[in-house]
Amino acid sequence: MLPVQILKDSAQEERGESARLSSFVGAIAIGDLVKSTLGPKGMDKILISGNPESAGGIKVTNDGATILKSIGVDNPAAKVLVDMSMTQDHEVGDGTTSVTVLAAELLKEAEKLVNQRIHPQTIISGYRRALGIAQEALKQSSIESGDNIREDLLKIARTTLGSKILSQHKEHFAQLAVDAVLRLKGSGNLDAIQIIKKLGGSMNESYLDEGFLLEKLPGMFQPRRVEKAKILIANTPMDTDKVKVFGSRVRVDGVTKVAELEAAEKLKMKEKVDKILGHNCNVFINRQLIYNYPEQLFADAKVMAIEHADFEGIERLALVLGGEIVSTFDSPQTAQFGYCDLIEEIMIGEDRLLRFSGVKLGEACSVVLRGATQQILEESERSLHDALCVLVTHVKESKTVAGAGASEILMSTAIAMEAQKVAGKEALAVEAFGRALAQLPTIICDNAGLDSADLVTRLRAEHANGRHNFGIDIEKGEVADVTKLGVIESYNVKLCMVSSAAEATEQILRVDDIIKAAPRARAPDNRPC
């Protein structure tokens, strides 16, 4: 009987072993790509976009999520790992490289088991059992922060920043990040923390400003300093003081008619400005441009008018000042104003900015980052954002676990002990999960140029003897009690990392068929040459 073709001519299908091999190869390649960035001694990658001359055309980073987001991935299994890394970044902020490397190691172990003719569903079942054991072991080892939450936050921030570009100044940035997060008073609203990047100076000149900074200035001849500010925030066109001739035709029989049209436009704008001034505000901030004529009217009324506040900036301003963005000005009694104690000009490097002090949302603050190049500033922002996300996560559920590979070996040891109680082929999958977890401290040692085989076996022996706080001291190249060294991590970050990697691996293992749709056919081009 002749084979029946079901798919279109240009559609592709991979089945069984071929599909599984394709998934394994793609996912493991992604893990190998980011593996060298793991740990305090991990290396950076340079990412060059299609147009290197453009802004942001070149990135220098060791952040797993940024690397995976920036590279073009065609393999479907690799895309699963990229999405998982992005989810980890959004959920808890850190552990994006660890989660990708762990998933790749789990798939490596699964590939060996598949080659031993063990069914993927048996491997999945074993992995699920091992995940439950790992989660329970991690939960048992976690410690509540209690009254020491500030000290624990500082240690977590130092650990998070220790593997990033800010590691040389981690003490300074850890204090800065913890101060910013504690100002939030547990709300976890990171929109209240604004990060401003300014070229020049060195990274240790970065500081936390207890106010809101806006990279705009008031108009000409307007007040440069306002106390007890009553602020109207708007998104409205203030540029109709000129006749717009683009896309329209105005036919007149003399120049005087043009002057009359301009006068009518001016009168319309003056009425609009009078409505705004009728709100009795002394500061007006607009999302759009404010042209010369309305700017002059605001100056005559001694009102500070700030134009072209970028949309993200004006959204955050409304949040911080307690006001609402308005577009019409017919009912002043319903408008919700923003308030702050003082608006003044400040200088950062060569740039002038406006600082809003004593804002209604008291937890609002701004972090000013300094650096020698744009790439350093961008990587510093990514690193600080990761630290802030981790700290906010920890404030919500303040449990800590030992870092520096201690938690991974703890989970691996617990899984190895329990695997002896599991019967059948499933036991092999449970053991494989434990071996994959033990690969993380091995890779951290390899990236630091240490003898990973010696250190990891010593570490496993310490854990077998009940010393579960022992991890790898990267600086001295030996095993040590990492909790005494202050190397601790947030329990939620570690739990999310292990769970996400196991779930993504399970999804990839379930695949036995890859069908690629036929590309959309282009309509024939019948135009003459």
Side-chain angles (χ1 to χ4, degrees):
M1 183 179 172
L2 291 172
V4 178
Q5 184 175 355
I6 300 169
L7 304 175
K8 286 188 177 179
D9 286 341
S10 47
Q12 297 173 8
E13 183 181 19
E14 294 180 55
R15 285 188 176 183
E17 289 297 320
S18 173
R20 204 168 285 124
L21 181 66
S22 173
S23 297
F24 286 153
V25 168
I28 291 168
I30 286 289
D32 289 341
L33 174 70
V34 295
K35 187 192 288 184
S36 63
T37 67
L38 190 65
K41 303 287 185 182
M43 305 300 281
D44 288 3
K45 310 278 185 203
I46 292 182
L47 308 171
I48 304 172
S49 72
N51 182 13
E53 302 300 319
S54 66
I58 295 176
K59 290 179 187 169
V60 183
T61 182
N62 74 343
D63 180 54
T66 306
I67 294 166
L68 296 179
K69 181 172 61 178
S70 303
I71 59 173
V73 176
D74 193 38
N75 185 283
K79 281 184 179 173
V80 170
L81 292 200
V82 172
D83 290 345
M84 174 194 64
S85 180
M86 297 301 300
T87 304
Q88 177 84 3
D89 193 36
H90 293 147
E91 286 291 312
V92 289
D94 197 25
T96 53
T97 306
S98 303
V99 74
T100 310
V101 171
L102 178 57
E105 292 297 331
L106 286 168
L107 286 166
K108 274 185 189 174
E109 294 293 336
E111 187 179 17
K112 292 175 191 171
L113 295 174
V114 167
N115 291 337
Q116 293 173 27
R117 315 306 296 171
I118 296 174
H119 195 276
Q121 289 293 354
T122 306
I123 300 170
I124 288 168
S125 178
Y127 275 8
R128 276 187 186 163
R129 183 177 288 203
L131 176 63
I133 297 164
Q135 288 172 333
E136 185 58 33
L138 194 66
K139 187 177 180 182
Q140 295 294 330
S141 72
S142 64
I143 301 166
E144 285 278 356
S145 291
D147 297 332
N148 300 324
I149 187 153
R150 182 181 173 83
E151 194 57 41
D152 280 355
L153 284 172
L154 281 168
K155 288 176 182 176
I156 291 167
R158 288 188 205 111
T159 305
T160 303
L161 295 169
S163 62
K164 304 188 186 298
I165 195 171
L166 302 176
S167 59
Q168 300 300 317
H169 313 285
K170 65 181 176 186
E171 195 62 47
H172 174 67
F173 281 97
Q175 291 279 359
L176 191 148
V178 170
D179 288 344
V181 167
L182 288 179
R183 283 179 67 87
L184 298 178
K185 301 182 181 72
S187 72
N189 185 4
L190 282 177
D191 285 337
I193 301 173
Q194 184 189 25
I195 299 176
I196 290 177
K197 306 187 290 282
K198 285 293 171 190
L199 269 174
S202 64
M203 285 193 282
N204 60 356
E205 290 175 26
S206 305
Y207 65 93
L208 179 75
D209 194 297
E210 295 185 359
F212 186 86
L213 299 178
L214 187 67
E215 296 185 74
K216 296 292 172 186
L217 292 173
M220 295 289 288
F221 307 112
Q222 291 174 2
R224 319 305 278 183
R225 175 188 168 94
V226 176
E227 294 182 8
K228 301 295 178 191
K230 182 181 179 184
I231 305 157
L232 183 65
I233 306 164
N235 182 12
T236 186
M238 300 290 288
D239 55 353
T240 49
D241 60 326
K242 293 182 179 177
V243 175
K244 288 192 173 66
V245 292
F246 300 107
S248 61
R249 285 183 178 181
V250 179
R251 290 186 178 179
V252 292
D253 53 7
V255 179
T256 52
K257 289 288 192 294
V258 176
E260 285 174 21
L261 278 168
E262 286 187 338
E265 287 276 357
K266 267 192 168 185
L267 184 63
K268 186 177 165 188
M269 177 52 66
K270 188 173 189 318
E271 288 172 0
K272 190 172 190 177
V273 172
D274 288 341
K275 281 182 183 177
I276 292 168
L277 295 175
H279 286 67
N280 294 322
C281 58
N282 52 9
V283 179
F284 175 69
I285 301 175
N286 193 25
R287 161 79 181 84
Q288 301 179 41
L289 287 169
I290 301 176
Y291 269 30
N292 299 346
Y293 180 60
E295 186 181 283
Q296 177 195 329
L297 294 175
F298 284 123
D300 292 343
K302 297 287 185 285
V303 169
M304 180 190 282
I306 302 162
E307 67 171 0
H308 221 235
D310 60 288
F311 197 74
E312 185 191 347
I314 207 163
E315 286 276 335
R316 192 184 270 128
L317 256 180
L319 168 79
V320 165
L321 298 172
E324 282 187 359
I325 301 169
V326 295
S327 298
T328 56
F329 310 99
D330 296 319
S331 49
Q333 66 277 5
T334 60
Q336 190 170 330
F337 296 95
Y339 296 92
C340 75
D341 294 340
L342 176 65
I343 302 175
E344 61 184 342
E345 270 188 35
I346 61 164
M347 290 279 289
I348 299 176
E350 301 295 317
D351 300 327
R352 291 187 298 159
L353 297 88
L354 281 177
R355 176 165 62 193
F356 295 73
S357 306
V359 293
K360 190 165 184 180
L361 189 68
E363 49 260 36
C365 59
S366 298
V367 177
V368 180
L369 291 177
R370 306 301 307 277
T373 69
Q374 196 62 39
Q375 284 80 15
I376 288 174
L377 282 177
E378 286 172 5
E379 180 66 356
S380 300
E381 183 187 21
R382 283 191 286 268
S383 304
L384 187 62
H385 183 264
D386 284 359
L388 291 171
C389 288
V390 171
L391 295 179
V392 165
T393 303
H394 182 69
V395 167
K396 290 174 185 170
E397 187 178 353
S398 50
K399 288 182 180 178
T400 62
V401 293
S407 298
E408 285 82 359
I409 293 294
L410 168 80
M411 291 185 280
S412 177
T413 308
I415 289 168
M417 295 285 287
E418 290 295 320
Q420 296 171 11
K421 302 173 188 175
V422 180
K425 291 181 179 179
E426 200 176 297
L428 298 173
V430 176
E431 288 172 1
F433 196 101
R435 284 197 300 274
L437 275 169
Q439 281 300 306
L440 288 176
T442 305
I443 293 164
I444 290 170
C445 290
D446 288 340
N447 287 345
L450 303 174
D451 185 350
S452 59
D454 178 48
L455 283 172
V456 173
T457 46
R458 275 201 233 164
L459 190 55
R460 194 178 279 123
E462 294 288 355
H463 278 259
N465 291 324
R467 291 189 277 273
H468 297 310
N469 287 336
F470 270 63
I472 298 159
D473 183 350
I474 289 291
E475 299 302 324
K476 294 182 180 174
E478 60 187 27
V479 294
D481 188 338
V482 290
T483 51
K484 288 181 181 174
L485 297 174
V487 184
I488 60 172
E489 295 183 56
S490 172
Y491 164 73
N492 270 347
V493 173
K494 195 63 75 178
L495 183 69
C496 187
M497 184 266 288
V498 177
S499 305
S500 299
E503 286 168 12
T505 305
E506 181 181 328
Q507 186 179 31
I508 292 168
L509 277 174
R510 284 179 176 277
V511 172
D512 75 334
D513 204 341
I514 298 172
I515 302 167
K516 198 176 283 186
R520 190 175 61 188
R522 288 188 177 183
D525 188 354
N526 297 321
R527 291 175 298 177
C529 293

